[in-house]
Amino acid sequence: EEQLLESGGDLVQPGGSLRLSCLVSGFTFDSFCMSWVRQAPGKGLEWVSSISGTGSTTYYGDSVKGRFTIARDNSKNTLYLQMDSLRADDTAVYYCAKDRANVDPYYLDVWGQGTLVAVSS
Amino acid sequence: SYALTQAPSLSVAPGQAARITCGGDNLETYSVHWYQQRPGQAPVVVIYDDSHRPSRIPERFSGSNSGNAATLTISRVEAGDEADYYCHVWDRDTNRGIFGGGTKLTVL
């Protein structure tokens, strides 16, 4: 069974940093793109970032570009999201999601349960 | 930048059909995917690539995409279909993922 388990969510002050992790199992990790999608309280889904199977290509949404960094360690079956210069509007549940494609993102066929990031003083 | 538009809500009686639409400029040139999110749960893909249904999704779910609109149709709606539904595309021109604002389906 394909599973994704996020961790690292926490309460952090504005301007602070946080690193999210997503440990996967049940599939060949380096064969698929991976993504982060977030959902602010009571709001809809927002695509954050994606990364190709090898990790050589990354993509970012305009609201996080320059502040967030996506990465993966294929030897550890783990996806990461380094979040710097956090703002109050980054407060959300962050979902890790597996894509069906290897190079160019396509659609998200498996999702984790999410981890909550709260940015507040 | 490209945007997807969805009606915020839709109410349907049990046993009737629900048609949830997603609008976008020349949307038929994109592959549209649909996700169901029940309260307190993670999203689940119910339709991918306009009209393909994952094996675990009931046949009552179907999709189409033409012109400037894609449609998710749920036939014979049940109480368990009550959820938020989101359309999604990957914009190859800008290399961005885009979600619609979501439609909350209420089963009366």
Side-chain angles (χ1 to χ4, degrees), chain A residues 13-81:
Chain A
Q13 292 189 340
S17 297
L18 206 58
R19 188 177 82 157
L20 305 183
S21 299
C22 175
L23 177 64
V24 315
S25 60
F27 62 95
T28 304
F29 185 53
D30 61 6
S31 292
F32 299 97
C33 292
M34 297 292 295
S35 295
W36 290 98
V37 176
R38 70 184 181 183
Q39 186 169 37
K43 302 298 185 182
L45 302 176
E46 179 188 9
W47 172 78
V48 173
S49 182
S50 300
I51 187 168
S52 62
T54 62
S56 61
T57 306
T58 57
Y59 312 89
Y60 296 95
D62 291 340
S63 62
V64 306
K65 194 169 186 177
R67 300 187 299 122
F68 290 11
T69 303
I70 191 170
R72 63 193 296 162
D73 186 335
N74 287 344
S75 69
K76 295 182 178 179
N77 281 4
T78 302
L79 175 72
Y80 302 100
L81 185 67

Side-chain angles (χ1 to χ4, degrees), chain A residues 37 39 43-45 47 59-60 62 95 104-109 111-112, chain B residues 33 35 37 41-43 45 48-49 56 86 88 90 92 95-97 99:
Chain A
V37 176
Q39 186 169 37
K43 302 298 185 182
L45 302 176
W47 172 78
Y59 312 89
Y60 296 95
D62 291 340
Y95 292 101
D104 295 325
Y106 183 30
Y107 75 93
L108 304 169
D109 66 341
W111 296 64
Chain B
H33 321 297
Y35 303 88
Q37 187 180 32
Q41 297 186 19
V45 61
Y48 66 93
D49 200 8
R56 67 187 181 281
Y86 296 90
H88 165 234
W90 180 260
R92 293 181 183 275
N95 284 325
R96 300 284 188 274
F99 284 96

Side-chain angles (χ1 to χ4, degrees), chain B residues 1-51:
Chain B
S1 61
Y2 196 76
L4 298 174
T5 303
Q6 295 184 244
S9 62
L10 176 68
S11 297
V12 176
Q16 299 301 304
R19 294 178 181 82
I20 300 170
T21 61
C22 175
D25 187 36
N26 212 18
L27 187 56
E28 67 181 358
T29 64
Y30 293 78
S31 292
V32 179
H33 321 297
W34 291 92
Y35 303 88
Q36 175 194 67
Q37 187 180 32
R38 294 189 173 108
Q41 297 186 19
V44 172
V45 61
V46 293
I47 292 290
Y48 66 93
D49 200 8
D50 298 339
S51 60

